[in-house]
Amino acid sequence: MATAPERLLLRLEWKVVRRLDGRLQGAHRTAHRGSGIDFTGLRAYGDGDDARHIDWNVTARLDEPHLRVFTEDRELTVWLVLDRSASMAAGRPGRGKHDVLAELALVLARLFGRGGNRVGALLFDTGTLRVVPPGTSRRHALRIGAELERTSKARGGSTTDLAEMLDAAGRLARRRALVVVLSDFIGDGDWERSLQRLARQHEVVALRIVDTADDVLPEAGLIVVEDAETGEQLVVDSADPLLRVRFRAAVDARDTRLEAGMRRAGVPVHRIDTDRDLAEALVEVVARTGDRSP
């Protein structure tokens, strides 16, 4: 009998992967060009060429500068940084932020892996860190899905330390890589400085997973509001106009702070709403990423 990750991946391959295959890879290739390892031949030196690639033996023999030419290494190492904290449990059953994160992780692992790139994952909850080393196969994508399935339900008691999550990614990705952070970015810590350090060493893309519950206070009279991270509960009157104004102001301030921090770090942030079609959302991400490419 197929496991839950296998059933999910099969569904996503039919609905999402086929629509995006090749597009996501192309959007990120140019950012990670390398000199490669396969020698393919020689050619005459020209203005603007890198003198470090001159073959001095051939140059001396032919009395004309020649370069050693290599096949360009265009493979990526991709790290998926997966936020498994308590606030990611928000949303309706079967389509909460945890569910969308799992779908995104499987789709990205499969898409990048099909292009021959190595994909690893870092599953982070405050105080808990799980790592799936990079791999390329469909079986490897399922391994990431299995780790997501195994991750215990988020526990309250402390807010997510976003800085710790980003620093953990920096320690893990030693060689230059594409780091995709999947999170709602609800938490504490001086994450902006950590993000800047990470972005100096790697190409970083943020996929911010958002549910309506993050942005909208339902007008339903007296309700129990629970801090998704700490579990603290408070009874409030959701119809109170002043409370609604304050809630809206807090949401706007949070969004403004997040966008400003991402902009200062030079990291593109893409909003993925839980009620949005996943393929459409990723097509939009690819299009926006392509617009940023030189």
Side-chain angles (χ1 to χ4, degrees):
M1 181 179 295
T3 64
E6 288 173 328
R7 292 193 298 271
L8 176 58
L9 181 56
L10 184 61
R11 176 172 64 83
L12 293 171
E13 284 176 329
W14 278 99
K15 293 184 62 176
V16 182
V17 173
R18 292 189 176 196
R19 291 175 59 182
L20 290 171
D21 198 14
R23 301 184 62 172
L24 191 65
Q25 174 69 16
H28 287 282
R29 267 183 165 174
T30 56
H32 291 271
R33 295 181 183 270
S35 60
I37 59 175
D38 296 326
F39 174 68
T40 57
L42 297 162
R43 67 171 174 83
Y45 178 84
D47 290 341
D49 286 335
D50 191 340
R52 292 175 297 179
H53 296 163
I54 292 177
D55 187 316
W56 293 106
N57 290 330
V58 175
T59 296
R61 188 165 62 250
L62 300 179
D63 198 25
E64 181 183 358
H66 274 68
L67 295 177
R68 293 172 63 85
V69 180
F70 297 86
T71 300
E72 184 181 37
D73 178 7
R74 296 168 71 102
E75 290 185 0
L76 290 172
T77 296
V78 182
W79 282 102
L80 304 178
V81 180
L82 309 176
D83 181 357
R84 300 296 285 168
S85 63
S87 65
M88 289 293 293
R92 69 181 188 274
R95 197 60 187 172
K97 289 188 284 186
H98 271 325
D99 301 299
V100 173
L101 178 141
E103 292 184 3
L104 281 168
L106 280 173
V107 167
L108 294 174
R110 191 72 180 109
L111 283 170
F112 280 115
R114 282 162 71 102
N117 303 300
R118 292 161 49 79
V119 183
L122 180 158
L123 291 77
F124 182 88
D125 189 5
T126 302
T128 304
L129 179 67
R130 291 188 182 185
V131 176
V132 179
T136 60
S137 65
R138 186 179 190 274
R139 183 181 296 274
H140 184 73
L142 287 171
R143 180 181 175 188
I144 294 175
E147 284 296 326
L148 285 165
E149 185 78 8
R150 285 180 54 206
T151 303
S152 59
K153 292 184 178 180
R155 301 176 301 278
S158 61
T159 57
T160 304
D161 190 332
L162 296 174
E164 183 183 351
M165 180 174 71
L166 296 169
D167 287 339
R171 291 190 300 270
L172 194 61
R174 297 182 180 180
R175 297 179 57 188
R176 181 164 176 81
L178 170 62
V179 179
V180 185
V181 184
L182 289 78
S183 172
D184 56 8
F185 292 95
I186 295 176
D188 293 334
D190 184 11
W191 60 267
E192 186 177 336
R193 185 176 302 175
S194 297
L195 183 63
Q196 289 173 352
R197 283 197 298 267
L198 188 64
R200 280 196 295 267
Q201 299 296 323
H202 308 282
E203 182 182 0
V204 182
V205 176
L207 299 183
R208 181 189 172 206
I209 302 172
V210 181
D211 187 80
T212 303
D214 296 329
D215 295 341
V216 178
L217 185 66
E219 193 167 350
L222 293 177
I223 60 173
V224 177
V225 177
E226 179 176 312
D227 188 308
E229 294 281 325
T230 65
E232 182 180 356
Q233 294 184 337
L234 185 66
V235 177
V236 300
D237 182 1
S238 63
D240 183 348
L242 182 57
L243 175 65
R244 299 186 68 82
V245 168
R246 287 178 174 174
F247 181 85
R248 185 69 254 173
V251 168
D252 291 343
R254 179 199 66 200
D255 291 351
T256 299
R257 185 168 58 251
L258 175 65
E259 291 172 5
M262 292 288 177
R263 187 167 54 250
R264 283 190 289 267
V267 172
V269 56
H270 306 279
R271 177 176 172 129
I272 307 290
D273 289 276
T274 57
D275 58 359
R276 180 97 182 270
D277 178 81
L278 189 61
E280 290 180 1
L282 285 175
V283 166
E284 184 176 300
V285 170
V286 171
R288 289 177 59 191
T289 302
D291 291 342
R292 291 171 50 91
S293 298

